[in-house]
Amino acid sequence: MWNNLVLKLILLVGLINFINGDSAPRVVCYYDSRSSLKDGLGKVLPTDLLPGLSQCTHLVYGYAGIKANDFKLSPLISNEELDVNNGLYKQVTSLKTQYPSLKVLLSVGGDADETFEKYLALLESSTGRIAFTNSVNVVLKQFGFDGLDLAFQFPKNKPKKVRSTLGSVWHSFKKTIGAAGKPVDENAETHKDQFTSLVVELKNSFRIDNYELAVTILPNVNITWYFDTASLKNYVDYINIAAFDIYTPVRNPKEADYVAPTLSITDRNVDDNVDYASTYFVANGLPGNKIVIGLPTYGRAWSIEKDATITGSPPIATNGPAPQAVQTRTPGLYSYPEICNMLLNDQNKNLKGELAPLRKIVDSTKRYGLYAFRLPDDNGNHGVWVGYEDPDSAGNKAAFVKGKGLGGVSIFDLSTEDIRGSCTGGQTKFPILQKVKEKLK
């Protein structure tokens, strides 16, 4: 009798949380803990997130990894993360004292943990999956997390070239007959089944504590290969599609193009957009309110050649990543505040060379996305092309999500947002996050 009562209470709590969780769109805010190790403007600590957290339904701490020898959950920065009093894990979950309704999840993988091979090895080992599941539960309980974000590191699709419609059809046919080169994962079908088993095992182990389980699909992972929607839909709280980085200067050093289009673009691969991914999952049985669309708070930047088109309209020939900026300190990667301060303004309008302003091109169709560029000088130097999101474009994407009845938007991530309000003279902090929240209401 007592066991039956406990079971009924668990089911009742689960039902209440299900109803509450689906009553309003999710705003899932990622925090990349590697930013805590940086210096200067790039350094972002958990307490720096506080002004933005009122806009978030979820805060996701990234990233943990897995050990190759025993498949147990492992911190990626250092063991200091696991200090039960003041480690980063504890600092992040302690933010719930100021925002009690905030769900704080721990993310595993996220392209932060070495290579994908050990993740496939985990799937292939039934004992490894058990060890991983047990270790996850220990960490969630010990540090007060509300669940797990499984940002599993599958092999990536091979980099794509911009193709015409006819070229896309021919390429798809070649893939079907095996003429487009060796597949990135010859055992994808087996790995799909094993991933389903892992998700089921995790969720079943979470039920007693009512932990949430999210699955994040990382950029350039084939959604048709690894995700059995019909089998997953009852075991995930939501699936988060990181619908960006379709082109990056590392994957595509010779050609820049829209990095996160909302809708399909003429003469492009038909699956390289937000609409395709969300439509695929709905068509395969996943409820729309379990689909969350991810957008970046950073831009991907290329160095462009002297003979680049004067309009900057992509696709555009490039020379690899653009030089690094002062905050992100990574070639080809600019935070939103770095980009907004590079746009034409009163302070830079007369500057030349590497300090000359970028020209912003707005997408009035709300289809393709936003970009900004600076043509090379007479010597062929200092040309930059960057695809990115700003508050308006992010708001357009949130409106698209709401219009399709999807489950919300995820922000990748708060550490590259304008947390100090530098784009507005200190008047507005977290402007992308705020616009997303406003459009989802």
Side-chain angles (χ1 to χ4, degrees):
M1 180 177 177
W2 174 248
N3 289 339
N4 289 337
L5 179 59
V6 171
L7 180 59
K8 289 178 180 179
L9 287 172
I10 292 171
L11 293 174
L12 178 60
V13 170
L15 178 60
I16 291 172
N17 286 341
F18 174 81
I19 294 171
N20 290 338
D22 290 338
S23 62
R26 298 173 180 86
V27 180
V28 182
C29 300
Y30 277 74
Y31 166 60
D32 190 331
S33 61
R34 289 171 292 185
S35 63
S36 69
L37 303 178
K38 296 180 179 179
D39 297 321
L41 294 175
K43 189 177 187 69
V44 179
L45 298 173
T47 51
D48 295 323
L49 310 179
L50 284 170
L53 291 183
S54 63
Q55 310 297 316
C56 307
T57 62
H58 294 68
L59 176 63
V60 181
Y61 178 99
Y63 293 90
I66 57 174
K67 296 178 182 178
N69 61 335
D70 60 11
F71 302 116
K72 291 182 179 180
L73 187 77
S74 175
L76 287 184
I77 295 179
S78 73
N79 284 329
E80 293 178 3
E81 288 179 275
L82 303 181
D83 186 314
V84 294
N85 295 313
N86 200 39
L88 281 172
Y89 284 9
K90 194 63 178 179
Q91 289 182 46
V92 167
T93 58
S94 295
L95 296 173
K96 290 188 291 181
T97 59
Q98 296 191 48
Y99 296 99
S101 63
L102 185 71
K103 297 289 186 181
V104 181
L105 275 59
L106 177 64
S107 187
V108 178
D111 287 337
D113 184 19
E114 298 177 348
T115 59
F116 64 81
E117 282 84 1
K118 65 180 176 181
Y119 283 79
L120 297 186
L122 165 62
L123 294 182
E124 293 165 357
S125 169
S126 58
T127 57
R129 295 199 304 268
I130 293 171
F132 174 73
T133 298
N134 290 340
S135 67
V136 165
N137 277 277
V138 169
V139 171
L140 297 186
K141 185 177 291 291
Q142 184 174 16
F143 293 97
F145 286 102
D146 298 301
L148 183 75
D149 172 61
L150 192 61
F152 209 82
Q153 293 185 191
F154 286 109
K156 303 281 190 181
N157 292 330
K158 295 178 181 179
K160 298 177 181 179
K161 296 180 179 179
V162 176
R163 302 177 186 276
S164 66
T165 303
L166 180 60
S168 296
V169 172
W170 171 239
H171 182 67
S172 297
F173 176 68
K174 289 199 297 181
K175 284 174 65 178
T176 301
I177 63 175
K182 184 179 179 181
V184 295
D185 184 2
E186 294 178 332
N187 298 312
E189 194 64 31
T190 299
H191 291 143
K192 176 194 285 188
D193 293 339
Q194 293 166 341
F195 181 71
T196 299
S197 296
L198 175 62
V199 169
V200 171
E201 291 160 9
L202 279 167
K203 188 59 177 179
N204 285 338
S205 75
F206 286 178
R207 295 192 188 281
I208 190 67
D209 293 299
N210 201 34
Y211 292 140
E212 289 195 5
L213 177 60
V215 167
T216 289
I217 302 175
L218 297 172
N220 299 302
V221 168
N222 192 313
I223 62 175
T224 67
W225 283 8
Y226 297 113
F227 305 98
D228 183 351
T229 311
S231 299
L232 293 176
K233 65 181 181 180
N234 293 324
Y235 292 91
V236 295
D237 290 273
Y238 60 90
I239 288 181
N240 181 30
I241 306 170
F244 49 85
D245 283 358
I246 292 171
Y247 285 83
T248 75
V250 173
R251 284 172 55 85
N252 313 91
K254 297 299 182 182
E255 184 178 45
D257 202 6
Y258 296 106
V259 296
T262 300
L263 301 172
S264 62
I265 305 174
T266 303
D267 295 338
R268 303 297 204 279
N269 293 287
V270 297
D271 55 348
D272 287 347
N273 56 82
V274 172
D275 186 52
Y276 174 87
S278 59
T279 299
Y280 171 83
F281 281 108
V282 170
N284 283 274
L286 186 67
N289 58 17
K290 285 193 173 188
I291 298 173
V292 174
I293 300 298
L295 59 84
T297 58
Y298 57 83
R300 293 295 186 179
W302 287 257
S303 293
I304 58 177
E305 299 177 344
K306 187 173 182 179
D307 59 354
T309 171
I310 195 169
T311 66
S313 179
I316 188 169
T318 58
N319 289 321
Q324 69 182 28
V326 295
Q327 177 183 342
T328 47
R329 299 183 184 180
T330 302
L333 178 69
Y334 295 166
S335 68
Y336 172 62
E338 287 173 326
I339 296 168
C340 79
N341 286 301
M342 295 171 71
L343 300 176
L344 179 64
N345 58 58
D346 289 340
Q347 284 71 44
N348 66 17
K349 62 183 180 181
N350 295 319
L351 298 180
K352 304 295 182 183
E354 64 180 351
L355 300 178
L358 303 184
R359 177 187 174 192
K360 175 181 175 179
I361 304 298
V362 176
D363 171 28
S364 59
T365 70
K366 303 178 183 179
R367 187 181 195 99
Y368 310 131
L370 187 67
Y371 67 89
F373 71 101
R374 176 177 62 219
L375 291 175
D377 61 20
D378 293 340
N379 296 318
N381 299 320
H382 309 306
V384 172
W385 191 98
V386 55
Y388 68 106
E389 302 278 7
D390 71 358
D392 289 335
S393 68
N396 292 337
K397 198 159 285 185
F400 169 84
V401 166
K402 183 177 180 180
K404 289 202 70 171
L406 303 181
V409 171
S410 54
I411 308 293
F412 285 82
D413 66 84
L414 296 186
S415 70
T416 49
E417 241 276 44
D418 186 12
I419 66 173
R420 300 175 180 90
S422 65
C423 297
T424 60
Q427 295 182 12
T428 304
K429 298 179 180 180
F430 298 93
I432 292 176
L433 173 59
Q434 287 202 35
K435 183 63 73 169
V436 165
K437 182 73 171 183
E438 173 190 322
K439 292 294 184 178
L440 287 177
K441 289 180 180 177

